[in-house]
Amino acid sequence: MSSSSPPAVSSVIVPLSSLPDFDPRQVPVAGVDTHLPAVPAEAQTPQALRARFAHPPQWEPEVVAEKKFMNREPAHASVLLAIILREQPTVLLTERTTHLSTHSGQVAFPGGRADAEDATPADTALREAQEEVGLAGEFVEVLGTLPTYVTGSSFIITPVVALVRPDCVLQPNPYEVADLFEVPLAFLLNPANHRRHVFDHDGVHREWFSMPFHDGEKTHFIWGATAGMLRNFYRFMQA
C-alpha cells in the first residue's frame, strides 16, 4: 500500500475474525506510514471542515472494496463519522457486543442497513446513530459523504461525515453497543498512527490497516472496514 499507487482492494476482515485462534492484534505490522504528512490542526476546525465539504478537492479513495467472501445480494448501509466539537475534536466510535451475528466485538462507527423509508444515506446514518447510541439529530450537522466502501459481505456502505455538538446526550443501546468511546481527530488524521498488516490464508493474500488507540489501560483496536474508511477520510482531508 504505497502512497504512490494506493490499492483499490483491501482485505476481507470478518471471516478472518472467525478463524480458530486468529487474533488480528497478533498479525505482524508490515509498515507504518510515518513518511506521509499529518493533516494540520488548522484544517480540523469546524470552519475548515465545512469549507472542505462545500468545495471538495480532487482526490481518490485509497480503500474501495474488500475481497468478496459471501454470496449474497448487495445491501446498502450507512455509517456516521461523527466529529464531536470538543476543544480538541474527537470521533465517536463503538465497540459492538459479542453476541451480534455480524462484526461482533469489533470497533465500528454507529450505523447499519438502509431502510425503505430512508430517503438518503444521511437519513440512514442519523436513524441508526439514534437507535445505537441515542444521538438525537438536533445535535448533528451533516457535512457530506465519502465514497462508498464495499465489504466482503456485500454491504455497500456510505460514510456520512457530520459535526456533533459537545453537549449531545448519548445513551448506547446495550444490546448492540458494549462500549462507547472517542478518539482524537488529530490522532486519526495522522498516518504515523496507521499501521499496515499482511496475512496469507488458504492461498489468499490480504492486507488491512489498523489504528490502535490507547485509552488509559485499555487499547481500542480499530481495524478492517472502520480503519479503511478512516484512511479514506485522511486522504480526503490531505488532498
Side-chain angles (χ1 to χ4, degrees):
M1 295 187 199
S2 66
S3 58
S4 59
S5 57
V9 179
S10 77
S11 64
V12 176
I13 300 303
V14 178
L16 291 180
S17 302
S18 64
L19 290 178
D21 302 320
F22 176 79
D23 183 351
R25 296 165 179 80
Q26 300 303 317
V27 177
V29 176
V32 182
D33 288 338
T34 53
H35 63 288
L36 295 176
V39 175
E42 57 268 24
Q44 301 179 37
T45 66
Q47 297 82 1
L49 288 161
R50 292 186 184 103
R52 167 72 36 150
F53 278 91
H55 304 285
Q58 291 291 324
W59 73 291
E60 293 292 333
E62 184 169 347
V63 192
V64 176
E66 298 173 353
K67 293 178 182 178
K68 190 173 182 179
F69 68 86
M70 184 182 296
N71 289 320
R72 60 183 297 278
E73 288 296 317
H76 288 274
S78 293
V79 296
L80 189 68
L81 200 166
I83 301 169
I84 301 181
L85 297 177
R86 307 204 185 280
E87 184 175 352
Q88 298 297 323
T90 62
V91 172
L92 181 67
L93 290 168
T94 73
E95 185 177 301
R96 294 169 64 83
T97 52
T98 56
H99 69 269
L100 292 174
S101 60
T102 58
H103 306 282
S104 64
Q106 293 200 28
V107 170
F109 299 111
R113 185 192 297 260
D115 283 350
E117 63 267 24
D118 296 332
T120 67
D123 290 336
T124 300
L126 293 173
R127 175 183 54 75
E128 286 284 339
Q130 181 144 25
E131 293 174 3
E132 284 187 22
V133 302
L135 177 60
E138 65 191 84
F139 295 103
V140 182
E141 175 190 346
V142 173
L143 296 179
T145 63
L146 297 176
T148 56
Y149 180 104
V150 183
T151 70
S153 54
S154 297
F155 278 102
I156 304 169
I157 302 176
T158 299
V160 177
V161 183
L163 305 180
V164 177
R165 284 168 31 196
D167 60 339
C168 65
V169 178
L170 300 176
Q171 295 180 320
N173 179 344
Y175 180 80
E176 297 187 56
V177 178
D179 194 11
L180 193 63
F181 62 99
E182 299 173 29
V183 180
L185 179 62
F187 175 91
L188 298 170
L189 294 182
N190 184 350
N193 300 315
H194 300 180
R195 310 190 315 177
R196 292 179 285 112
H197 301 261
V198 175
F199 184 76
D200 292 287
H201 180 73
D202 287 343
V204 179
H205 180 80
R206 312 181 191 280
E207 300 183 13
W208 67 83
F209 288 103
S210 75
M211 304 168 186
F213 175 67
H214 304 289
D215 185 11
E217 296 183 355
K218 183 169 185 178
T219 297
H220 298 285
F221 195 72
I222 306 166
W223 75 304
T226 302
M229 287 182 273
L230 285 167
R231 177 71 169 201
N232 286 345
F233 186 45
Y234 161 75
R235 290 295 189 184
F236 170 76
M237 292 297 298
Q238 187 57 37

